[in-house]
Structure formats: structure tokens, C-alpha cells
Amino acid sequence: MTEPIHTTDIQSDVRYETIARFPDYAEAQAVVDQLSDREFDVSTIKIVGEGLRSEEFVTGRMTKGRAALAGLGSGAWFGLFIGILFGLFAPGFGLLSIILWSVVIGAIWGAIFGFVAHLATGGKRDFKSLKTMAAETYLVQVQASRANEAMSVLGR
């Protein structure tokens, strides 16, 4: 628990007061959940991340074959969507046939585009990764007019 920090919301002239500070989001979320369970008006609360940083987790090597396989998968899904869409508006041609051909054509074109797109990078990014945003600290803030009430509900 820290001493109150006052901030003003960018969207309006509402002032917020920090009632708690945590090193991870789950703890901040648990405090809001506690307040909600005790029927406190949670629409007056916000969780603010401070010290934002980008994290990129490398999950594997990207080869031309894997790029083509990923393109095949996304192309097949797109083909399924297009096949269903066309199938709904072309009732005389056989819905299943239209969907099947759309999936096959979508998968083929997806694989080609995936392969060519990876080839165009020239080997400059031969890995797959997952990017996330993380904060060093999470603040639980309550509208200043309700901060004392929130503190008493939490028993602080």
C-alpha cells in the first residue's frame, strides 16, 4: 500500500486516487474482484499499468516450408468462409461442392502466398515469435470521491 497518488482522467475531469500498487496484474485484478464481490461500484475503478515494455518471446524457427504451411492453414479458413458465403447465394450448385473447392483453392493460394512472403524477407526474420506488452507496476485507482469508501470496503 502506498500513499495516495492523484491523477486526472484524460477523457474527463474526473480525478482518480491510487488505493493499491502491485507487481503483477493478477493481484490488481483480485482487488477489483474483491470490491465487486462486496457490491462496490466497480465502474469507478481503473487498473493502470506503469513502466510499459514490449516483450517478444521467440517460439521457433521459420522456414519456407513452415511459412507455406501457415499460409495453407489460413488460406483454407478463408476459403471455407468464402465457400459458405457463395454456397448460401448459389443454391443450385451443391453447397458441399462449393465449400470443398473453396477450401482447396484457398489452401493452395494461401500456401503460395505464405511461401512467397517468407521468401521476400530475404532471411531477415527466420523465426516466429509472440509479442506482448507488460508493465512493471499495476495501480488500482478509484475515482477520488469514492476512494475512502473503497479503502474501507477493503478494510484498509
Side-chain angles (χ1 to χ4, degrees):
M1 174 83 171
T2 61
E3 66 181 69
I5 298 173
H6 298 284
T7 62
T8 302
D9 193 347
I10 297 171
Q11 304 277 327
S12 65
D13 292 333
V14 177
R15 289 178 37 93
Y16 284 84
E17 189 173 309
T18 299
I19 63 167
R21 178 186 304 263
F22 300 101
D24 65 45
Y25 179 78
E27 291 179 82
Q29 182 181 350
V31 166
V32 175
D33 194 40
Q34 267 185 324
L35 288 166
S36 177
D37 290 346
R38 294 178 183 156
E39 298 185 13
F40 182 81
D41 180 11
V42 292
S43 67
T44 63
I45 301 173
K46 65 181 178 177
I47 298 175
V48 178
E50 285 187 329
L52 291 178
R53 67 183 182 279
S54 173
E55 294 179 349
E56 185 172 4
F57 299 94
V58 177
T59 59
R61 188 163 187 269
M62 180 58 80
T63 63
K64 292 173 190 75
R66 285 185 179 165
L69 191 60
L72 182 135
S74 60
W77 275 110
F78 184 71
L80 177 65
F81 171 72
I82 295 298
I84 290 171
L85 190 64
F86 277 116
L88 290 174
F89 297 106
F93 295 99
L95 178 64
L96 190 58
S97 176
I98 291 172
I99 291 174
L100 181 63
W101 278 108
S102 297
V103 169
V104 169
I105 292 168
I108 291 169
W109 279 107
I112 291 168
F113 283 124
F115 181 85
V116 171
H118 182 68
L119 190 64
T121 66
K124 291 191 171 126
R125 186 165 170 97
D126 284 342
F127 61 92
K128 337 182 259 188
S129 63
L130 175 65
K131 290 183 182 180
T132 63
M133 293 293 287
E136 293 174 9
T137 307
Y138 294 90
L139 308 175
V140 177
Q141 295 186 335
V142 180
Q143 289 179 1
S145 62
R146 306 283 311 271
N148 288 336
E149 180 186 349
M151 297 286 280
S152 67
V153 168
L154 290 171
R156 296 180 180 180

